């Protein structure tokens, strides 16, 4: 896989049982790129490692007054320099390619998982952790893949050079062959402690990121209640904890780095001392001593990659663990059995929408309003109506067909669920409405039904050089707009999509009553002949519904029209009018008197 070929047609099915298994799965899928890196890395490192032997041959040629061997050494030096430059160039190219393609694979997997889980993702994993995984953690995983590309070549080079030195000069070569593995593994006992400190640092950093995300998301509310300083203090404390953890982690890595400098120096001193001793006895030639001495110095370069791979693994393993935890999440009811049916036909089911768990029935082509006293229960029920919910339960039926048995994409095409807090992505209004749609509803009709005239005027005013409202820019998450304006734009997007079944969860909770009344009429008119379910407790919306359903304690408790239920159903009236117990008792008495009068 090359960078220009990204994104992957299929990123694959990850092994998300643990962070280590996930890294190993990434390596297997990068095998071709890793082999290329190994080949170029060997060319680079071996070319550098041969330089000391060339220098040794040249020195000995000068001592022996041999011009032919001196010329031969010069030619070998030129070849080694060319090989080193060529290998280094392509090693860097292939290693960075492995990094980018591995990071792209992880990002694609995370994006697919987020699209599959939908709103269930942030209910299972904190939003800050999702942000940390998709940004910093992906970078660290890519770093490990890149470091591994160089480490394998460095490790093979050290083995080859040690064997060559044993053959070239056995007495000094044995000393180097024994000393180099000790140098490579010297920091191994310190790695568990360094890894624990790195894990602790990443945990603190994830917590700080989560606090920052929550603070920014709720800044408008925090300012309104004067709580921004409280959250800022919490973030300051979390930030200081991250700093202290980073310093403790850096101390351990500084110790490892010091060992990587100290021990090669000691080995070099030992080689020189022993080599001089052998040279005095005439058992080693000057050229051989220079070659071995230079080799030990040169090998400190590939040895540094042992420290890098240890550091990369220590930082990437917790990142891979977090990524694996997100990727291992599954919906409560996966459509494994339905994937085989994906090619049976393009037709989607149609008809009444029915939830066996609660008894909720939304007749086809009608506007059904659902009143639920528990907002959380309403959100879960709205999600279940869309099929493939995050919590296990009985499947919702559309035209008698279980939605959970349809592929996830088909279920979402048949039933569109607009969450209570829909997200507006940054871009122009035209891009916001660039969504799959039936084509039966125009953008102007959807915006008019959602009462977005003032929103369009505000967007044009806030966008320089945008005469057409469709070209006006929306800031990230629509932060420049009020809550009601964002809500109406999201509603317009859902109306423009024009699905067979549209489920709206509190679509007008942030707008004033006059606008809400016009929206209720606009939605009713635009969705005529289409199935629409609205979760609301607003009398203005309820009064426009063809059918109102009261869901109490997880079951349908009453069905009727708004005015009838307000008069006859105390539980419904308590939710819609927010009446107190005293007012409820008084209304019951009045209703009994009315019934007595009618009987009389």
């Amino acid at each position: 896989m090359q960078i220009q070929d990204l994104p992957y047609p299929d990123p694959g099915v990850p092994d998300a049982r643990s962070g280590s298994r996930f890294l190993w799965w990434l390596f297997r899928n990068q095998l071709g790129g890793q082999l290329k890196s190994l080949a170029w890395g060997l060319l680079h490192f071996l070319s550098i490692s041969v330089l000391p032997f060339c220098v040794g041959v040249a020195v000995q040629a000068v001592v022996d007054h041999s011009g032919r061997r001196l010329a031969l050494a010069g030619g070998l030096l030129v070849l080694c320099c060319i090989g080193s430059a060529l290998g280094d160039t392509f090693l860097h190219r292939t290693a960075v390619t492995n990094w980018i393609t591995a990071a792209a694979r992880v990002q694609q997997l995370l994006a697919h998982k987020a699209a599959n889980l939908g709103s269930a993702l942030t209910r299972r994993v904190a939003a800050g952790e999702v942000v940390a995984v998709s940004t910093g953690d992906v970078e660290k995983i890519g770093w490990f893949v890149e470091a591994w590309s160089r480490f394998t070549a460095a490790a093979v080079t050290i083995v080859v050079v040690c064997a060559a030195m044993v053959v070239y000069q056995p007495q000094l070569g044995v000393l180097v062959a024994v000393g180099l593995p000790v140098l490579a593994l010297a920091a191994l006992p310190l790695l568990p402690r360094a890894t624990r400190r790195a894990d602790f640092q990443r945990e603190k950093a994830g917590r700080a990121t989560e606090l920052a995300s929550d603070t920014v998301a709720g800044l408008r509310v925090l300012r309104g209640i004067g709580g921004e300083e409280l959250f800022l203090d919490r973030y300051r404390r979390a930030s200081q904890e991250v700093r202290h953890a980073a310093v403790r982690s850096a101390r351990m890595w500084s110790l490892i780095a010091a060992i990587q400098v100290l021990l090669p120096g000691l080995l070099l001193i030992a080689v020189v001392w022993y080599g001089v001793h052998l040279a005095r006895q005439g058992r080693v030639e000057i050229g051989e001593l220079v070659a071995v001495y230079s080799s030990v110095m040169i090998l400190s370069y590939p040895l540094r990659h042992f420290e890098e791979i240890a550091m990369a693994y220590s930082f990437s393993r917790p990142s891979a663990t977090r990524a694996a935890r997100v990727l291992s999440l599954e919906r409560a009811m996966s459509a494994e059995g339905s994937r085989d049916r994906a090619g049976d036909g393009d037709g989607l089911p149609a008809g009444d929408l029915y939830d066996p768990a609660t008894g909720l029935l939304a007749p086809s082509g009608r506007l059904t309003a659902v009143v639920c006293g528990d907002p959380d229960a309403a959100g879960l029920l709205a999600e279940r109506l869309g099929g493939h919910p995050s919590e296990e339960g009985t499947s919702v039926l559309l035209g008698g067909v279980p939605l959970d048995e349809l592929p996830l994409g088909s279920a979402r095409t048949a039933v569109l669920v607009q969450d209570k807090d829909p997200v507006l992505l940054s871009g122009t209004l035209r891009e916001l409405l660039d969504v799959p749609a039936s084509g039966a509803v125009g953008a102007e009709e959807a915006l008019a039904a959602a009462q977005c005239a003032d929103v369009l005027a505000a967007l044009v005013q806030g966008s320089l050089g945008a005469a057409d409202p469709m070209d006006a820019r929306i800031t990230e998450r629509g932060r420049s707009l009020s809550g009601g304006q964002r809500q109406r734009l999201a509603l317009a997007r859902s109306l423009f999509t024009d699905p067979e079944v549209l489920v709206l969860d509190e679509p007008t909770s942030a707008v004033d009553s006059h606008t809400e009344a016009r929206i209720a009429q606009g939605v009713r008119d635009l969705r005529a002949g289409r199935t629409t379910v609205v979760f609301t407790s607003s009398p203005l919306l309820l009064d426009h519904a063809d059918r109102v359903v009261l869901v109490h304690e997880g079951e349908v408790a009453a069905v009727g029209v708004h005015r009838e239920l307000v008069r006859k159903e105390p539980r419904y009236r308590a939710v819609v009018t927010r009446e107190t117990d005293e007012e409820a008792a008084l209304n019951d008495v009045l209703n009994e008197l009315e019934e007595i009068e009618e009987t009389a």
Side-chain angles (χ1 to χ4, degrees), residues 282-366:
R283 298 162 60 185
V284 173
E285 295 183 347
I286 298 299
E288 293 176 336
L289 176 59
V290 171
V292 175
Y293 168 79
S294 302
S295 294
V296 174
M297 291 189 63
I298 289 292
L299 286 177
S300 63
Y301 169 53
L303 274 175
R304 288 204 299 269
H305 292 84
F306 283 78
E307 176 190 352
E308 183 188 13
I309 194 64
M311 183 180 293
Y313 178 74
S314 297
F315 279 88
S316 65
R317 190 182 60 81
S319 296
T321 300
R322 277 190 294 271
R325 184 164 60 246
V326 174
L327 294 174
S328 65
L329 297 176
E330 296 290 345
R331 302 188 73 90
M333 288 177 282
S334 62
E336 293 181 357
S338 65
R339 289 191 183 103
D340 297 335
R341 299 175 43 188
D344 291 350
D346 297 330
L348 296 175
D352 296 344
L353 184 67
Y354 177 67
D355 177 28
T358 60
L360 172 63
L361 174 66
S364 176
R366 307 284 294 278

Side-chain angles (χ1 to χ4, degrees), residues 61 91 95 145 150 226 230 250 397 551-552:
L91 171 61
V145 172
R150 293 191 296 270
L230 175 62
L397 307 178
V551 177
H552 181 70

